[in-house]
Amino acid sequence: MSDRRLRDLRRPVRPSRPSAKITFPCDYPIKVVGDAADDFPAAVCQVVARHDATFDASSLEVVDSRNGRFQSVRLTLRATGEAQLKALFAELKATGRVHMVV
């Protein structure tokens, strides 16, 4: 059994490092879902503006859920790196008002 195409299953195969799926900097769309409130879009804008100085709130799109209990805020920000996005997502979740960031 000297067939080189067969690999020894007892040895783990080291996966090659995945290539970056996103090239930074880029325009990065996100959707933030939270409980519906008059000030929810403004609260989201404040957090996003802290992470992207060039953020333009006029691109904001707010959609209410069918029953009006939730709101989704869709926006596009200028992403400079993965660390920026992780920090933004963490701060949005830390507000206690955000249920999901997509």
Side-chain angles (χ1 to χ4, degrees):
M1 288 209 171
S2 64
D3 190 356
R4 295 255 179 203
R5 292 177 299 172
L6 298 176
R7 70 178 179 89
D8 188 351
L9 295 177
R10 295 173 292 180
R11 290 189 191 161
V13 175
R14 293 183 187 203
S16 60
R17 184 169 187 203
S19 61
K21 297 176 182 144
I22 301 172
T23 303
F24 294 105
C26 66
D27 290 335
Y28 193 82
I30 64 170
K31 179 166 52 170
V32 183
V33 179
D35 291 325
D38 291 337
D39 65 337
F40 181 66
V44 171
C45 283
Q46 287 176 348
V47 173
V48 172
R50 283 197 286 273
H51 294 272
D52 177 14
T54 65
F55 175 65
D56 180 17
S58 67
S59 67
L60 209 66
E61 181 183 341
V62 181
V63 178
D64 292 326
S65 67
R66 202 172 339 173
N67 63 6
R69 184 173 173 207
F70 300 103
Q71 281 182 325
S72 68
V73 177
R74 297 175 186 170
L75 56 95
T76 302
L77 65 109
R78 190 69 181 163
T80 57
E82 192 174 331
Q84 175 204 27
L85 293 175
K86 284 183 179 182
L88 170 65
F89 289 6
E91 187 173 348
L92 284 168
K93 293 289 278 184
T95 64
R97 302 180 68 183
V98 174
H99 294 286
M100 179 174 31
V101 180
V102 182

